[in-house]
Amino acid sequence: MNRKEIWVYLERNQEEIEEVSLEILGKANELGKKSGMPVVGVVLGNDPGDLGNIALKHGADVVIFLKDPLLESYSTEDYTKALFEMIGKRTPEIFLLGATYQGRDLAGRLSARLRTGLTANVVSLDIGEDGYLLSGVPGYGSKVLAEIVCVRNKPQMSTVRPGIFNKTVIPNEAGIVEVVDIDLKDSVSRVKVLSRKVEKHPDLSRAEKVVIAGNGVEGNLDMVARLADILGARLGVSRPIADKGKASRELQVGSTGYSLNAKLVLIFGVSGAEHFLPGIANCQTVISINVDRESGIFEYSDYCIVADASKIIPILLKEGGDR
Amino acid sequence: MRNIIVCIKIVPKAEDMNFDPETRTMKRGGVENQINEADKNAIELSLRIKEKSGGRVVLLSMGPPFFDQYLKIGIAMGADDAILLSDRLFAGADTFATSATLSAAVRKIGDYDLVLCGEETSDGGTGQVPSQLAELLDLPQMLFVSEADIDGNSVKARRTIKGGYETVESGMPAVLSIELGINQPRFPDFRRKRWADKEFSLTVWSASDLGIKPELTGTSGSYTIVKRLTEFSTHQRQRISVAGTVEQQADKIMEILRESR
Ligand SMILES: Cc1cc2nc3c(=O)[nH]c(=O)nc-3n(C[C@H](O)[C@H](O)[C@H](O)COP(=O)(O)OP(=O)(O)OC[C@H]3O[C@@H](n4cnc5c(N)ncnc54)[C@H](O)[C@@H]3O)c2cc1C
Ligand SMILES: Nc1ncnc2c1ncn2[C@@H]1O[C@H](COP(=O)(O)O)[C@@H](O)[C@H]1O
């Protein structure tokens, strides 16, 4: 018997599952209930650990653990090969991945091998009346939402932006974890990882309060970081600051960075370019400080403050109790 | 070093685009185009590789005939050759059909060590083409690359991953996607631009030149379709202007911060 299934790729981050994978599981669970399809979390590695149970708690009906020593760490070609085989056997209807560096690397390669459609950086998901997955993608500077359908083949694939859906705990007594030994034998990977340097950053998309530094405060980054600190906020930056290597990519806000869900953001020296704006669209209160009265950022702000950041930040630091 | 093929897309400047809620289409009138920003970074990187390790830089773009003027800008930057894939059949391609068409052209150009793409386009913004292209060419892929060095027959690259970066290595040929903003693309050389406009003759290939089956290109080669476009309703902002001295403005910020707690 072949039941139609919704698959969710569970991206591993050492012993944990990436937040975005759990966010997608929650949404997939909702789509599953609507369409009668079970949700299957798929994770690749060598040691299942507790990953399966974590996924079962967050919306998966079933977890498949694809096990092989070669899958211990991520490689495009071995992961593609393993998933391609498994998808051939179980023919899922839908396959969702996080729009992370890894998720996008894998999804592109895999979709091409499967000869199926892939939609990128999705911000909304629904099942249409005809039963097809509708993947919503903001276009043209977030002026429109395009709903995209994969028409000619299965699975219907999409990568989903982090920080869009909410991770939820969904009790599930009957869930099972299937460990599948796939025996890849030899690695097909042609890319060798020589070294890796990563730092762990708490997920910016879930921060309550964020202070953002843009190009206009490039020379005052320390001061902005200090302000974030005393306000109990996280620091975020616009893309050019990350491009120049002055802050980690993990702090970048915008269409190629994080989408914030903060109650409050305080933005210094950002012009409000179309690729920046999706990053703050879901924030409750936006306060912007810019020297330029005409700056585009003010159109997307609740409080608009025309001021020189280098003058106002020292005062804020003092009022915030900085010594 | 053999050919370095750089895939570039010509994209509209997004701030010029406007949605017409009546007709549910984009108003494209008066829209200016440009080489996609990350693709300019890829061109710059290819020229630096060439300066150091040799080879020829060949630009490759799929799009309508008037894109030739933008390819000439790339020639004026220092690229050796440019090929435009233009055919009515190619219209309406999704990333897969685009990759299929580009892969046929890469094979036809041949004799290459590297295929460079931008990390993503500013209009479609999928970043899918580089990995789909790599799969169709059966080549290794390295995405979100910020540095690349040639060492004999292999390429060593630094690529961004979650929380940091990796140094990776593979044999050539390989497909790389280049991170936006990693270098300062050089300006087109004025004299070379004049030469490109007057004397350089661009190669244009159609579907039949590529020998690609029409059903693999354009709309018919696509696996995805845009079902509908709706106006994106984002949060309406209050846009309250906070006037006064800097001290008064700072006081107001502190007040909002206190209230939001
Ligand atoms: C495909 C693609 C993806 C992208 N993704 C992202 C993304 O995810 N995130 C992102 O941010 N960008 C992204 N960008 C880049 C984006 O287009 C803009 O270039 C970028 O957002 C501009 O950053 P900025 O506003 O900090 O700098 P600028 O545009 O340089 O603006 C600086 C602002 O600071 C103000 N200013 C100057 N001095 C002061 C002062 N003393 N006090 C107060 N204000 C001052 C200026 O008036 C100006 O408004 C992307 C671009 C592309 C093509
Ligand atoms: N029509 C095209 N012609 C040439 N290169 C393209 C085209 N479309 C995409 N690319 C390349 O693929 C990259 C990623 O594009 P995309 O997947 O559309 O975001 C671009 O930066 C280009 O290098």
Side-chain angles (χ1 to χ4, degrees):
Chain A
M1 189 199 68
N2 233 334
R3 278 181 79 187
K4 292 181 168 184
E5 293 172 335
I6 302 177
W7 282 23
V8 177
Y9 176 68
L10 306 176
E11 182 172 335
R12 259 186 319 126
N13 180 355
Q14 279 120 40
E15 282 79 51
E16 291 168 42
I17 297 175
E18 284 291 347
E19 287 293 302
V20 62
S21 304
L22 300 178
E23 292 165 10
I24 302 171
L25 274 182
K27 183 67 187 181
N29 190 277
E30 192 188 309
L31 298 178
K33 289 204 177 102
K34 185 171 173 179
S35 62
M37 289 187 270
V39 175
V40 178
V42 185
V43 57
L44 285 69
N46 192 34
D47 174 14
D50 199 35
L51 296 174
N53 289 321
I54 298 171
L56 291 177
K57 250 186 246 148
H58 288 93
D61 297 302
V62 178
V63 173
I64 299 177
F65 188 93
L66 290 180
K67 186 171 175 327
D68 191 284
L70 290 174
L71 300 175
E72 176 58 32
S73 57
Y74 176 74
S75 84
T76 315
E77 290 167 283
D78 288 330
Y79 270 49
T80 300
K81 183 176 176 211
L83 281 167
F84 181 77
E85 279 180 22
M86 202 60 205
I87 287 170
K89 285 191 189 129
R90 280 178 79 137
T91 59
E93 275 289 300
I94 293 173
F95 189 27
L96 305 172
L97 304 88
T100 56
Y101 287 102
Q102 183 182 116
R104 296 168 71 187
D105 184 83
L106 177 61
R109 188 105 197 178
L110 183 61
S111 68
R113 191 166 303 177
L114 288 162
R115 299 286 191 275
T116 194
L118 172 63
T119 307
N121 298 323
V122 165
V123 299
S124 72
L125 285 171
D126 200 1
I127 307 257
E129 274 165 22
D130 50 8
Y132 279 104
L133 180 72
L134 288 163
S135 299
V137 181
Y140 306 109
S142 293
K143 286 165 192 153
V144 294
L145 185 79
E147 285 184 296
I148 297 179
V149 174
C150 165
V151 279
R152 279 177 42 214
N153 212 344
K154 298 280 160 63
Q156 307 165 69
M157 290 179 67
S158 294
T159 59
V160 180
R161 267 185 70 83
I164 300 292
F165 299 117
N166 289 316
K167 168 174 105 173
T168 41
V169 174
I170 302 168
N172 173 3
E173 305 293 293
I176 44 166
V177 180
E178 295 174 31
V179 177
V180 181
D181 274 298
I182 45 167
D183 192 12
L184 289 173
K185 293 190 183 73
D186 288 312
S187 173
V188 290
S189 177
R190 286 167 286 186
V191 176
K192 228 178 28 215
V193 177
L194 304 177
S195 67
R196 179 177 296 143
K197 189 162 181 282
V198 288
E199 284 169 24
K200 228 177 140 97
H201 288 270
D203 186 355
L204 196 60
S205 67
R206 295 298 159 196
E208 285 252 318
K209 230 187 273 172
V210 182
V211 176
I212 302 177
N215 247 342
V217 290
E218 191 189 335
N220 294 314
L221 275 182
D222 290 345
M223 207 157 74
V224 182
R226 179 91 193 103
L227 180 64
D229 230 26
I230 63 170
L231 296 178
R234 295 279 313 280
L235 178 70
V237 299
S238 68
R239 172 142 193 160
I241 301 291
D243 284 351
K244 292 173 201 158
K246 304 210 159 165
S248 161
R249 278 263 176 260
E250 293 297 304
L251 300 186
Q252 184 186 318
V253 176
S255 74
T256 48
Y258 283 93
S259 289
L260 305 182
N261 292 284
K263 271 171 72 181
L264 193 133
V265 272
L266 196 55
I267 305 175
F268 294 96
V270 170
S271 62
E274 50 129 352
H275 283 286
F276 172 79
L277 296 171
I280 57 164
N282 295 331
C283 294
Q284 242 172 58
T285 305
V286 176
I287 310 176
S288 296
I289 294 93
N290 198 302
V291 273
D292 177 7
R293 174 173 307 281
E294 305 289 321
S295 172
I297 191 72
F298 290 140
E299 214 178 306
Y300 303 90
S301 306
D302 295 298
Y303 296 94
C304 312
I305 297 164
V306 181
D308 183 337
S310 65
K311 302 240 163 64
I312 201 167
I313 298 174
I315 305 172
L316 290 168
L317 282 170
K318 211 154 80 201
E319 294 193 11
D322 194 36
R323 280 167 297 146
Chain B
M1 190 79 186
R2 300 183 291 169
N3 287 326
I4 306 170
I5 301 174
V6 189
C7 299
I8 66 173
K9 189 176 178 190
I10 311 307
V11 296
K13 291 188 177 166
E15 55 273 26
D16 292 352
M17 307 288 291
N18 271 305
F19 185 64
D20 182 347
E22 298 273 295
T23 60
R24 303 204 150 196
T25 52
M26 298 303 300
K27 291 184 223 168
R28 278 177 180 264
V31 172
E32 263 187 74
N33 295 296
Q34 61 185 3
I35 301 175
N36 182 49
E37 272 188 60
D39 302 358
K40 279 191 226 158
N41 296 122
I43 297 176
E44 177 60 33
L45 181 70
S46 73
L47 295 171
R48 291 186 194 180
I49 291 174
K50 178 189 156 165
E51 282 156 11
K52 212 168 140 193
S53 311
R56 277 173 79 245
V57 172
V58 182
L59 306 178
L60 176 63
S61 187
M62 182 184 88
F66 75 90
F67 279 10
D68 59 355
Q69 52 188 306
Y70 302 95
L71 286 169
K72 285 180 181 170
I73 294 175
I75 293 290
M77 284 172 76
D80 298 285
D81 205 351
I83 294 158
L84 179 62
L85 310 179
S86 211
D87 195 314
R88 285 223 173 115
L89 288 168
F90 299 159
D94 72 355
T95 60
F96 184 82
T98 302
S99 305
T101 309
L102 291 174
S103 71
V106 169
R107 285 209 171 89
K108 187 172 161 100
I109 296 167
D111 196 32
Y112 59 92
D113 275 328
L114 289 174
V115 179
L116 304 187
C117 293
E119 72 167 278
E120 69 172 46
T121 54
S122 60
D123 63 338
T126 76
Q128 287 171 183
V129 168
S131 57
Q132 292 178 326
L133 186 57
E135 169 66 17
L136 294 175
L137 292 166
D138 189 18
L139 294 180
Q141 73 190 46
M142 301 177 205
L143 307 190
F144 309 105
V145 164
S146 55
E147 285 166 22
D149 248 319
I150 308 304
D151 184 7
N153 264 335
S154 58
V155 51
K156 204 188 268 184
R158 174 169 149 161
R159 72 171 172 204
T160 302
I161 56 170
K162 184 167 177 168
Y165 57 85
E166 280 176 343
T167 308
V168 288
E169 187 179 41
S170 100
M172 296 193 288
V175 177
L176 273 59
S177 90
I178 307 306
E179 228 175 29
L180 172 71
I182 62 152
N183 53 32
Q184 232 0 297
R186 65 195 66 185
F187 285 108
D189 179 81
F190 178 70
R191 252 184 272 156
R192 207 171 149 79
K193 179 73 170 59
R194 261 216 322 237
W195 170 80
D197 285 338
K198 284 211 187 96
E199 282 166 61
F200 172 75
S201 74
L202 191 90
T203 306
V204 181
W205 284 340
S206 66
S208 63
D209 292 327
L210 288 178
I212 188 172
K213 291 195 192 108
E215 62 268 27
L216 296 178
T217 66
T219 324
S220 45
S222 298
Y223 287 91
T224 55
I225 54 162
V226 178
K227 183 97 176 178
R228 60 174 179 223
L229 282 182
T230 46
E231 200 168 4
F232 210 27
S233 50
T234 41
H235 204 93
Q236 274 302 313
R237 296 291 174 195
Q238 302 181 61
R239 299 170 61 185
I240 300 168
S241 165
V242 180
T245 64
V246 216
E247 286 78 13
Q248 287 165 335
Q249 289 173 321
D251 285 344
K252 181 67 188 175
I253 294 175
M254 294 311 285
E255 187 191 316
I256 304 163
L257 284 166
R258 273 192 300 272
E259 277 168 11
S260 89
R261 239 180 300 194

